[in-house]
């Protein structure tokens, strides 16, 4: 099971206690998957179609708990996707359908109704708890989340720009910086920061998924820190080796073209030691001197030897010119 499926499975089993929150979550599911059918004699029927069993289970449970309605469930195989099933949850009673539409505010006080349920009435999500329930239902019906082992990305696909702006607005009211991008015929509301995705999982009450994501984030951060440290140490070792190679080349050039006898006692001593102990660190070289010298002192002498070698090379070039 994918991480996204695990999140939805957990959310499908989270039933809010307050009736107004149950209605907000049901309205969110209806706004994505719902369809209103009107018969020739003006009788209403409301149907939810979904390929996600978690959505079907949640909607069926909310109908029973909130309105004490037993919905009709049918399952059929998708002819285009051989392994996928399509779940049809229908409320066939006209009276029950009217109750649902009135509670979810998909019908006006004048009983004007439309089969376009994509945008919800703001009265359904006035309270923060209802906003969280709305986001839970919306994510269940139209959301997905990437495998956090690979990337941090959560998105909700919306059929219209108005719907996307409504979802974005509610997320921003809860201090989540959601963005919108066009994708084919849809508008996609998304979050890309791990911390914001964690916060949204918390708001939707997906506690287990939140902890799983946090554990992955911690392990990835530790791994990144270790890699950075290793890379830094590798780079430092590379610099140290390169510096030692250059020092040895300079000292050998001095030995060949000038000899050590013309060097001061301190420079001659460090030159001999560096040739003898080519893998030694500056600290180790300093400890071998008599009297011992610190790293900065050793580095100063080696830099002086490098300048002498450079002067010898320059003088040689001038001679041949």
């Amino acid at each position: 099971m994918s991480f996204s499926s695990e999140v939805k499975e957990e959310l499908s089993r989270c039933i809010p206690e307050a009736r107004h929150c149950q209605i907000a979550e049901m309205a969110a599911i209806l706004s994505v998957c719902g369809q209103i059918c009107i018969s020739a004699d003006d009788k209403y029927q409301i149907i939810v179609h979904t390929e996600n069993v978690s959505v079907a289970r949640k909607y069926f449970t909310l109908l029973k708990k909130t309105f004490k309605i037993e919905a009709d469930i049918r399952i059929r195989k998708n002819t285009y996707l051989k392994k996928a099933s399509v779940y049809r949850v229908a409320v066939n009673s006209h009276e029950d359908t009217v109750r649902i539409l009135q509670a979810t505010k998909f019908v006006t006080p004048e009983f004007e109704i439309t089969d376009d349920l994509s945008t919800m009435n703001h009265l359904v999500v006035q309270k923060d708890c209802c906003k969280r329930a709305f986001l839970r239902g919306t994510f269940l019906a139209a959301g997905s989340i990437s495998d956090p082992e690979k990337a941090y990305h959560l998105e909700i696909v919306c059929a219209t720009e108005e719907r996307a702006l409504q979802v974005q607005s509610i997320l921003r009211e809860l201090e989540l910086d959601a963005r919108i991008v066009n994708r084919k015929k849809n508008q996609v509301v998304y979050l890309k920061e791990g911390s914001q995705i964690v916060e949204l999982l918390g708001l939707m009450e997906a506690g287990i998924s939140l902890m799983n994501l946090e554990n992955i984030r911690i392990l990835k951060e530790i791994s990144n820190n270790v890699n950075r440290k290793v890379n830094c140490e590798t780079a430092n070792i590379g610099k140290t080796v390169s510096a030692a190679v250059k020092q040895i080349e300079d000292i050998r050039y001095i030995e060949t073209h000038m000899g050590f006898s013309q060097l001061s006692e301190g420079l001659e001593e460090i030159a001999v030691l560096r040739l003898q102990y080519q893998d030694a660190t500056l600290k180790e070289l300093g400890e071998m001197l008599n009297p011992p010298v610190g790293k900065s002192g050793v580095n100063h002498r080696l830099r002086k030897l490098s300048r002498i070698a450079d002067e010898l090379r320059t003088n040689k070039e001038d001679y041949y010119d």
Side-chain angles (χ1 to χ4, degrees):
M1 184 182 289
S2 68
F3 185 73
S4 190
S5 298
E6 289 174 3
V7 174
K8 290 190 176 188
E9 176 68 19
E10 182 178 3
L11 292 178
S12 73
R13 301 183 186 282
C14 175
I15 307 297
E17 292 294 328
R19 188 172 188 273
H20 48 80
C21 292
Q22 295 169 6
I23 290 171
E25 188 165 356
M26 181 182 292
I29 294 173
L30 286 174
S31 67
V32 178
C33 311
Q35 178 186 8
I36 299 171
C37 299
I38 305 175
S39 67
D41 56 348
D42 284 336
K43 298 296 182 183
Y44 298 152
Q45 179 190 36
I46 194 163
I47 302 172
V48 162
H49 290 96
T50 178
E51 293 180 1
N52 193 316
V53 66
S54 297
V55 178
R57 181 196 301 122
K58 187 62 172 285
Y59 178 63
F60 181 85
T61 305
L62 287 171
L63 282 173
K64 191 171 182 180
K65 189 172 182 66
T66 312
F67 297 100
K68 295 183 169 44
I69 293 173
E70 290 285 349
D72 176 52
I73 299 181
R74 297 183 185 179
I75 305 171
R76 64 177 177 80
K77 290 292 180 182
N78 191 320
T79 54
Y80 297 102
L81 302 172
K82 293 181 180 179
K83 294 184 179 179
S85 296
V86 177
Y87 301 87
R88 179 184 181 275
V89 187
V91 176
N92 298 317
S93 164
H94 172 78
E95 291 73 19
D96 288 341
T97 298
V98 169
R99 280 200 297 143
I100 294 168
L101 293 175
Q102 287 176 329
T104 54
K105 302 291 188 291
F106 284 125
V107 63
T108 68
E110 295 77 26
F111 217 78
E112 293 178 359
I113 193 169
T114 175
D115 55 2
D116 179 14
L117 307 177
S118 63
T119 307
M120 287 174 50
N121 191 313
H122 72 280
L123 294 174
V124 180
V125 287
Q126 283 186 311
K127 297 182 178 182
D128 281 352
C129 57
C130 293
K131 289 182 176 69
R132 294 194 293 270
F134 164 83
L135 291 173
R136 183 165 53 243
T138 301
F139 179 81
L140 254 176
S144 63
I145 182 170
S146 298
D147 180 354
E149 294 276 8
K150 299 175 182 176
Y152 299 128
H153 182 85
L154 181 147
E155 67 179 38
I156 295 170
V157 178
C158 303
T160 66
E161 183 179 8
E162 188 178 4
R163 167 74 172 175
L165 289 171
Q166 184 179 53
V167 174
Q168 182 190 47
S169 175
I170 291 174
L171 285 166
R172 288 188 169 178
E173 285 175 29
L174 297 172
E175 300 183 357
L176 295 170
D177 186 24
R179 306 294 177 87
I180 298 175
V181 66
N182 293 325
R183 184 186 296 159
K184 296 181 181 178
K185 295 181 180 180
N186 296 315
Q187 304 283 315
V188 179
V189 184
Y190 68 92
L191 297 171
K192 287 196 76 71
E193 289 187 17
S195 59
Q196 298 238 317
I197 294 172
V198 165
E199 192 171 344
L200 179 55
L201 290 176
L203 290 171
M204 295 190 300
E205 298 184 60
I208 295 172
S209 299
L210 184 154
M211 292 304 298
N212 289 339
L213 177 54
E214 279 287 54
N215 287 338
I216 291 170
R217 288 182 69 213
I218 290 168
L219 290 173
K220 285 176 74 173
E221 184 62 29
I222 292 171
S223 177
N224 289 338
N225 287 338
V226 169
N227 288 337
R228 279 194 292 270
K229 189 173 181 181
V230 169
N231 290 339
C232 183
E233 289 178 353
T234 301
N236 288 338
I237 290 170
K239 289 178 183 177
T240 301
V241 170
S242 297
V245 169
K246 176 67 165 58
Q247 291 160 9
I248 291 164
E249 287 177 355
D250 290 340
I251 291 168
R252 283 180 173 158
Y253 193 87
I254 293 171
E255 184 181 27
T256 302
H257 295 86
M258 188 182 84
F260 293 161
S261 59
Q262 296 184 50
L263 296 173
S264 66
E265 185 179 343
L267 291 180
E268 182 181 2
E269 187 179 11
I270 197 66
V272 171
L273 280 174
R274 172 45 91 198
L275 289 179
Q276 188 175 357
Y277 302 99
Q278 296 185 7
D279 296 329
T281 64
L282 298 184
K283 182 181 179 182
E284 291 169 343
L285 289 173
E287 290 171 351
M288 296 177 196
L289 294 170
N290 188 19
V293 175
K295 283 173 62 177
S296 60
V298 172
N299 192 44
H300 176 72
R301 294 187 189 184
L302 290 169
R303 284 180 180 276
K304 231 174 159 183
L305 288 170
S306 181
R307 285 197 297 272
I308 292 170
D310 288 342
E311 288 172 6
L312 288 172
R313 291 186 184 101
T314 302
N315 292 336
K316 184 179 179 182
E317 288 173 2
D318 291 343
Y319 176 81
Y320 284 111
D321 287 345

